[in-house]
Amino acid sequence: MRYVILFLTLSIFQAGAQQLSGKVLTEGDPMPYANVYIKGTSIGTTTDENGNYNITSLKKGNHTIIASFMGYKKQSKIINITNNNTVLNFNLQESESLEQIVVTGTLKAVSRLESPVPVEVYSPTFFKKNPTPNIFEALQNVNGVRPQLNCNVCNTGDIHINGLEGPYTLVLIDGMPIVSGLSTVYGLSGIPNSLIEQVEVVKGPASSLYGSEAVGGLINIITKLPENAPLFFVDNFVSGWGEANFDLGFKSSVGKIADVLVGANYFKYSNAIDNNNDNFTDVTLQDRISIFQKWNFKRKQNRLFSLAGRYFYEDRWGGEMQWDKKYRGGDAVYGESIYTSRYEIIGNYQLPISELVNFQFSYSDHDQNSYYGNMPYMAQQRIGFGQLIWDKKLDHHDLLFGLAARYNFYNDNTPATLKPDEVTIPSIFVQDEIQLSEKHHLLLGARYDYDSRHGSIFTPRIAYRFKPTNNDIIRLNAGTGFRVVNLFTEEHAALTGSRDVIIKGTLDPEQSYNINLNYLKKIYTKGGQIFTVDASAWYTYFTNAIIPDYDTNPNQIIYENLDGSSVTKGLSLNVDAVLGSGIKASAGATFQDVSQKENGVKTRQILTERFTGVWSVSYKHYPSNLTLDYTGNLYGPMRLPTLGELDPRSEESPTWSIQNIQLTYETDANLQFYVGVKNILDWTPNKGNPFIIARSHDPFDKNVEFDTAGNVQATPDNPYALTFDPSYVYGPNQGRRIFIGLRYTLK
């Protein structure tokens, strides 16, 4: 009888208690020690070293099963348990949005979810969807950020944020403001993409923490920590146009003293192509090398000490197809030839005291030897920067105090620089983030700078964060910004072409006033999809704005402080989605109005689009380890710099788009092969125009006739009354091309 009772008891138990098993994967690889549990209960387990899990004692019926791991997005699935043995597998995706740690908005490492300042974060995975040889091009798929080419010949450019010109954007490397002036135009190309941990973007003034140049926003390029980097990595690709890009890096331990990360980038393009038949290179030829090294020293009590350095050299030229170096600086054959030599040092040292005080420092030396036709431009720029930061928490106050000094040296051979420009700007700043309650945070900040050329400059800011739920955040930011202008380091149009440069009066610092409203929402669906919605509205008002005037006289570029105001305002929306089944997508749009008003007349700013759009769609087929990426952008019409009423070129650009597709195969040995097509629509800006470069057949204006007032005369050889001008540029001249590459990582 006892055996009968035991048999019935086991049968009843087995009828009511089932078993659930399966695997937890990430990118197709097993994930050991991940958590798997039943929502609303204490029943759960962790995966073994092969990613397997097993849960027993489950009752029949519907259950929500959740798999999670630190740094990855939770995944939940609803399943109806009916069988004794049910198999359920998970595939976790790396967290790429709210949970990331950011440092840019407040100079402190905080969760993006907790930051009172809206910060956009982009991981290396984002940039690998459309591989590029430099960070300048990689930013083309960031909503509201546009790499702007400023010259058809030498293809140099800058980065626009929310319609503002490149000089308003401050670019940082590891939080240090060393990419500015000359290097904003010429130095962004040499940062090896494989060394980037993440890129943080703040839209709107940040001068209260970062000083001059952070007027329109800032981009912080954060490099990998040596301890988090792979042992060895390589990334190499070539394109059908003959471009070759090579990234290489490794890390090593130097005894018990330090960890070191070494990386190098080499880019070569030597294939002169003229598809638009104007006898000028469509793309600048380049030979570039960049070497980077970063040390993390091990200290007592885990105090921080890091030191990094980079050397960059580039030889680039563009011009008439028959140009070579023997024509450099002459007027026989036109070419723009630029030699750039640059080095940088960055450091961060935590003082050996009980309080949390860091000394951050950087130094950069930039030497440029260049000719634009027969016009020499020889320039040197040196920037030294140091700041002490004291991070102090008191009750509900998170305080930050800072003392900073910036040394600027600039010299060139232009008539505008009669003597070297040398100045040291001391600064003091303070910031207080106040936790009013669990849902309400308030940040107050102010900065004082003294510039001997312009006197005292005060820049306050305020930020308010309201978090009504764990998945909703509202941020309101307001502040001021300032920018001290160094014209020839920032305005490439002043150096190229035949327009005369006119500088009216002393150029005073620009001042801005900004307000920005941001709403971020995270949406989790029952089907396991995740959506992140990020919407912003902004308004920025400028006084003393310096905007190049191409309109008053088509043969001149006039620079002066605007006797009026300049305004940029707009709306942006980003949606990121993890749709399951290996599909991820993102899309963004920005609508903006950038204008200036002088003497009661409102004018739309030149080379500024009314709207932009970006998107990316990725699909991974796990059984075959194949990933398909489709990326693209869309730009609305811009007002363009034409050369008078007879100029036959369109006064506005068309709506245009660059779209790319890529297929990646990944082996189990961390080896990736990728192939794709860039610019699949084969769009170039010459379509719809009779020409892009004005008078490309006469680049030295030898056959241009002028009247006594200096105006160009229409002649049979020059029916449109034009001079040579390569500044009519708004997009890349490079058409469709195939690329193929290989990545290998040894962890």
Side-chain angles (χ1 to χ4, degrees):
M1 186 64 181
R2 286 181 299 175
Y3 295 107
V4 173
I5 294 173
L6 180 60
F7 175 80
L8 290 175
T9 302
L10 290 173
S11 299
I12 292 170
F13 179 81
Q14 290 175 353
Q18 314 300 314
Q19 179 173 285
L20 176 68
S21 61
K23 293 181 74 71
V24 177
L25 308 171
T26 176
E27 300 293 328
D29 296 325
M31 174 171 280
Y33 314 119
N35 298 309
V36 182
Y37 57 95
I38 315 302
K39 185 177 181 181
T41 74
S42 59
I43 301 173
T45 186
T46 58
T47 59
D48 63 19
E49 60 185 5
N50 297 313
N52 299 310
Y53 74 92
N54 185 46
I55 299 176
T56 57
S57 303
L58 274 176
K59 294 181 179 180
K60 288 185 177 181
N62 289 328
H63 297 277
T64 300
I65 318 298
I66 297 176
S68 67
F69 192 79
M70 181 67 71
Y72 288 76
K73 298 172 183 175
K74 289 182 180 179
Q75 189 175 10
S76 62
K77 294 184 179 182
I78 299 174
I79 189 169
N80 186 5
I81 304 291
T82 58
N83 302 320
N84 290 341
N85 293 291
T86 303
V87 177
L88 182 64
N89 295 328
F90 293 88
N91 212 310
L92 300 187
Q93 305 290 327
E94 282 187 296
S95 173
E96 294 180 355
S97 55
L98 297 183
E99 294 80 8
Q100 288 184 313
I101 300 299
V102 298
V103 297
T104 303
T106 60
L107 283 178
K108 298 186 179 188
V110 297
S111 164
R112 185 184 173 203
L113 191 70
E114 301 301 323
S115 173
V117 178
V119 182
E120 297 178 14
V121 184
Y122 298 92
S123 68
T125 302
F126 176 85
F127 298 114
K128 288 177 182 177
K129 295 176 182 179
N130 177 31
T132 60
N134 55 67
I135 193 65
F136 175 78
E137 291 182 36
L139 292 168
Q140 64 186 281
N141 288 324
V142 175
N143 188 23
V145 177
R146 182 169 68 87
Q148 165 66 37
L149 287 177
N150 293 327
C151 176
N152 263 310
V153 181
C154 67
N155 291 166
T156 54
D158 51 32
I159 297 174
H160 293 200
I161 294 181
N162 287 346
L164 292 175
E165 292 285 336
Y168 296 96
T169 301
L170 178 63
V171 180
L172 311 169
I173 298 180
D174 288 338
M176 292 291 99
I178 58 176
V179 183
S180 58
L182 281 171
S183 56
T184 300
V185 180
Y186 301 99
L188 276 175
S189 300
I191 302 171
N193 288 353
S194 296
L195 295 179
I196 295 174
E197 179 69 27
Q198 63 188 40
V199 175
E200 300 176 5
V201 179
V202 175
K203 298 172 182 176
S207 291
S208 65
L209 280 184
Y210 296 97
S212 179
E213 299 174 29
V215 178
L218 59 91
I219 297 169
N220 192 3
I221 301 165
I222 299 175
T223 59
K224 294 180 183 294
L225 292 172
E227 59 264 34
N228 296 336
L231 288 174
F232 175 80
F233 55 88
V234 62
D235 189 349
N236 183 32
F237 72 84
V238 295
S239 80
W241 277 48
E243 300 159 296
N245 186 75
F246 187 74
D247 276 3
L248 173 71
F250 65 90
K251 75 171 183 180
S252 178
S253 293
V254 183
K256 297 181 179 180
I257 300 174
D259 295 315
V260 61
L261 174 66
V262 179
N265 169 261
Y266 180 68
F267 178 76
K268 177 78 170 180
Y269 174 66
S270 57
N271 186 26
I273 293 176
D274 178 26
N275 284 341
N276 59 14
N277 298 315
D278 60 2
N279 195 41
F280 269 71
T281 52
D282 290 345
V283 178
T284 303
L285 283 72
Q286 301 172 55
D287 195 355
R288 177 176 70 238
I289 187 167
S290 176
I291 301 172
F292 178 89
Q293 193 173 87
K294 185 174 185 178
W295 292 72
N296 266 18
F297 295 92
K298 300 172 184 178
R299 300 175 61 205
K300 293 180 180 180
Q301 300 180 4
N302 291 321
R303 289 192 175 101
L304 177 67
F305 180 27
S306 65
L307 190 64
R310 180 174 76 115
Y311 176 73
F312 168 86
Y313 180 80
E314 182 182 66
D315 175 0
R316 69 161 60 204
W317 76 269
E320 293 186 273
M321 294 291 288
Q322 64 271 30
W323 188 92
D324 61 35
K325 291 187 185 299
K326 68 183 179 184
Y327 296 111
R328 191 173 194 264
D331 62 357
V333 178
Y334 188 89
E336 296 186 2
S337 172
I338 303 162
Y339 302 153
T340 301
S341 178
R342 173 182 177 83
Y343 68 86
E344 306 156 351
I345 298 172
I346 308 169
N348 193 348
Y349 179 78
Q350 183 180 346
L351 270 59
I353 58 178
S354 58
E355 295 290 340
L356 182 55
V357 180
N358 279 33
F359 176 58
Q360 300 174 336
F361 56 93
S362 66
Y363 180 80
S364 63
D365 188 293
H366 188 111
D367 184 86
Q368 184 173 319
N369 179 315
S370 52
Y371 281 91
Y372 299 86
N374 58 355
M375 177 186 291
Y377 178 59
M378 309 297 168
Q380 299 82 40
Q381 184 175 42
R382 295 190 284 272
I383 300 175
F385 178 81
Q387 65 181 12
L388 275 172
I389 298 177
W390 179 24
D391 189 349
K392 182 71 174 177
K393 290 181 172 61
L394 292 173
D395 296 328
H396 298 293
H397 296 265
D398 194 349
L399 296 162
L400 188 77
F401 302 94
L403 287 173
R406 176 168 173 152
Y407 168 77
N408 286 343
F409 173 88
Y410 174 76
N411 190 28
D412 66 29
N413 64 308
T414 66
T417 308
L418 299 178
K419 63 177 182 177
D421 182 14
E422 189 171 14
V423 65
T424 299
I425 304 174
S427 311
I428 184 171
F429 58 89
V430 62
Q431 175 181 278
D432 184 11
E433 184 177 349
I434 309 165
Q435 184 178 351
L436 302 175
S437 68
E438 186 176 344
K439 295 182 178 180
H440 299 271
H441 281 231
L442 179 67
L443 183 144
L444 302 173
R447 182 185 183 99
Y448 171 79
D449 293 79
Y450 180 76
D451 188 325
S452 58
R453 300 165 298 181
H454 306 291
S456 299
I457 302 172
F458 178 66
T459 49
R461 77 163 171 172
I462 182 171
Y464 168 69
R465 192 206 73 189
F466 174 48
K467 187 179 175 184
T469 73
N470 287 333
N471 297 321
D472 295 89
I473 305 172
I474 298 171
R475 297 180 174 100
L476 180 65
N477 282 246
T480 65
F482 75 98
R483 183 173 76 96
V484 177
V485 176
N486 195 329
L487 184 65
F488 285 89
T489 70
E490 300 165 351
E491 296 288 355
H492 182 269
L495 298 169
T496 186
S498 58
R499 290 178 185 250
D500 293 327
V501 176
I502 308 297
I503 302 173
K504 290 190 174 181
T506 302
L507 299 180
D508 295 325
E510 298 178 317
Q511 187 82 26
S512 72
Y513 306 87
N514 170 271
I515 186 167
N516 182 300
L517 178 64
N518 174 260
Y519 173 61
L520 192 147
K521 183 173 182 61
K522 195 86 165 177
I523 302 170
Y524 299 87
T525 70
K526 291 183 178 180
Q529 293 89 5
I530 305 172
F531 296 87
T532 303
V533 180
D534 191 341
S536 293
W538 73 89
Y539 180 91
T540 304
Y541 180 91
F542 287 91
T543 60
N544 283 343
I546 301 171
I547 301 170
D549 177 3
Y550 292 84
D551 301 322
T552 300
N553 187 328
N555 299 309
Q556 296 178 342
I557 309 175
I558 302 173
Y559 296 94
E560 63 178 327
N561 287 110
L562 190 68
D563 185 15
S565 62
S566 174
V567 170
T568 173
K569 55 188 176 182
L571 301 167
S572 69
L573 177 67
N574 281 299
V575 179
D576 295 317
V578 179
L579 302 176
S581 302
I583 300 175
K584 293 192 288 186
S586 66
T590 297
F591 301 89
Q592 60 196 18
D593 179 19
V594 183
S595 61
Q596 60 200 62
K597 183 179 287 187
E598 192 170 26
N599 300 322
V601 178
K602 181 180 177 180
T603 307
R604 181 179 163 203
Q605 185 167 307
I606 206 165
L607 289 172
T608 303
E609 65 280 7
R610 291 190 184 276
F611 64 87
T612 63
V614 295
W615 65 86
S616 68
V617 180
S618 300
Y619 169 66
K620 180 160 186 176
H621 185 253
Y622 289 101
S624 63
N625 284 332
L626 287 172
T627 301
L628 183 67
D629 293 300
Y630 169 53
T631 59
N633 48 49
L634 181 73
Y635 299 110
M638 310 174 200
R639 193 166 69 89
L640 301 175
T642 55
L643 293 175
E645 296 181 356
L646 297 179
D647 194 331
R649 297 173 295 181
S650 173
E651 294 182 356
E652 269 203 348
S653 66
T655 298
W656 55 282
S657 176
I658 300 289
Q659 300 177 31
N660 320 285
I661 194 165
Q662 175 185 248
L663 184 66
T664 303
Y665 171 70
E666 184 172 5
T667 71
D668 294 334
N670 296 318
L671 187 64
Q672 290 184 348
F673 299 93
Y674 55 94
V675 62
V677 181
K678 288 180 177 288
N679 195 2
I680 57 179
L681 301 180
D682 198 28
W683 178 89
T684 54
N686 61 295
K687 295 182 178 179
N689 271 307
F691 50 84
I692 294 294
I693 300 176
R695 291 191 67 78
S696 59
H697 64 284
D698 184 20
F700 296 100
D701 290 337
K702 294 180 179 180
N703 297 314
V704 176
E705 296 183 11
F706 299 87
D707 63 16
T708 55
N711 299 310
V712 181
Q713 297 296 292
T715 63
D717 179 64
N718 189 11
Y720 305 123
L722 304 177
T723 56
F724 172 70
D725 180 36
S727 64
Y728 185 95
V729 58
Y730 57 93
N733 278 320
Q734 204 167 15
R736 184 188 301 119
R737 59 207 183 276
I738 297 173
F739 64 91
I740 185 170
L742 178 147
R743 296 188 190 98
Y744 174 68
T745 303
L746 177 63
K747 297 182 179 180

